Amino acid sequence: MQKVTLHNREFTLFLSTDDIQRAVEEMAIKINHHMEGKRPLFLVILSGAFVFAADLLRRIHVECEVTFVRLSSYSGTQSTEKIRELLGLNEVLKGRTVIVLEDIIDTGHTMDDMVHKLRHLEASDVKIATLLLKPAALRKDLKIDYIGIEIPNDFIVGYGLDYDGLGRNLPDIYKIVAEY
Ligand code: IMP
Ligand code: MG
C-alpha cells in the first residue's frame, strides 16, 4: 500500500518492511555482541514497541529476560510532557543490566522519565534501544545506545505506532501528509 487513511488523515509510505528489518537485524547483531554473558533484562515499553520488540527479540541469541511496562504520553499527533504509567514494573532490577526497548524517541520525555525510574530501582547498567529517533525533536540529554533509523520530525504510524489508536497493525511505516 502506498497510502493509508486513518481518522480521515492521509499517510504515505515512508519505511518499508525491508528497511525496518534491516535496521532491526543490525541492532540485534550489536546487542548480541555487547551482551554476551550479561544476561540482560529487556524492558519493552508498551504499547508502541510491541512489534519492534517481537522482531528484535527473536534475533537475540544471548541468555536474557523480557518484561513490559505500559506508558502513554501521546495525545493525537502531539507528545505531552505528562507520562502516565499504566502498567508497572514488578521485577527486581537491583544490579541488573536493563535494555529499554522503545519504538520511537521524539522529545525524549518518556525515555528520560524511564531512565530515572530504572536508576532509582538501582539497575546497574541502563541501555536504551530505539527503532526510530527524531533528532530534531529531542529535548533531553539522553545517551541512546542503539538507534535503528533517524527520521525527520514528522508524525508517523505503523509497525506498532498509532494515530489515536489506529495503525499499529500496519507492517510498514507511514508518514502523515501535511494539511494545507
Ligand atoms: P517522547 O516522550 O516525546 O519521546 O515520545 C515518545 C512516545 O510517543 C513514543 O513511545 C511513541 O509511543 C509516541 N510517539 C512519538 N512520536 C510518534 C509518532 O510520530 N507517531 C506515533 N507515536 C509517536
Ligand atoms: Mg511508545
Side-chain angles (χ1 to χ4, degrees):
M1 271 187 300
Q2 282 301 316
K3 280 188 179 0
V4 292
T5 301
L6 304 167
H7 295 301
N8 288 323
R9 288 298 302 261
E10 221 187 353
F11 294 81
T12 57
L13 186 62
F14 176 53
L15 296 169
S16 70
T17 309
D18 282 356
D19 298 330
I20 300 165
Q21 293 306 319
R22 209 172 305 121
V24 172
E25 175 67 21
E26 279 172 24
M27 192 185 293
I29 291 169
K30 287 185 197 142
I31 294 177
N32 280 323
H33 181 66
H34 297 160
M35 291 297 137
E36 193 72 62
K38 295 200 167 151
R39 199 194 277 183
L41 172 67
F42 287 93
L43 175 62
V44 183
I45 305 201
L46 298 174
S47 302
F50 78 106
V51 182
F52 165 53
D55 280 347
L56 179 83
L57 289 168
R58 281 178 291 174
R59 293 181 167 106
I60 296 298
H61 308 305
V62 296
E63 192 173 65
C64 65
E65 291 175 54
V66 182
T67 191
F68 305 86
V69 282
R70 182 154 180 227
L71 304 178
S72 177
S73 75
Y74 247 69
S75 170
T77 62
Q78 288 302 310
S79 187
T80 65
E81 291 189 18
K82 271 194 246 88
I83 294 131
R84 292 182 297 146
E85 188 167 329
L86 306 166
L87 174 81
L89 251 181
N90 300 312
E91 278 71 14
V92 176
L93 299 188
K94 191 168 175 165
R96 299 217 49 182
T97 296
V98 178
I99 305 182
V100 186
L101 296 186
E102 179 60 299
D103 49 3
I104 185 164
I105 297 180
D106 184 7
T107 63
H109 281 110
T110 307
M111 191 54 78
D112 191 58
D113 193 72
M114 195 71 235
V115 168
H116 280 101
K117 283 196 179 113
L118 297 175
R119 296 248 160 79
H120 183 74
L121 294 169
E122 300 179 63
S124 59
D125 193 7
V126 177
K127 303 242 182 271
I128 301 174
T130 186
L131 176 65
L132 304 166
L133 171 70
K134 293 179 182 171
L138 194 59
R139 294 284 168 273
K140 294 281 176 181
D141 184 19
L142 284 174
K143 180 179 173 291
I144 308 174
D145 302 276
Y146 305 101
I147 300 169
I149 306 170
E150 295 195 0
I151 62 168
N153 200 3
D154 297 313
F155 188 78
I156 54 161
V157 291
Y159 197 75
L161 292 136
D162 73 306
Y163 170 43
D164 267 347
L166 297 181
R168 293 194 196 276
N169 55 313
L170 297 165
D172 306 301
I173 293 177
Y174 293 80
K175 179 163 97 171
I176 202 159
V177 176
E179 280 181 337
Y180 295 102

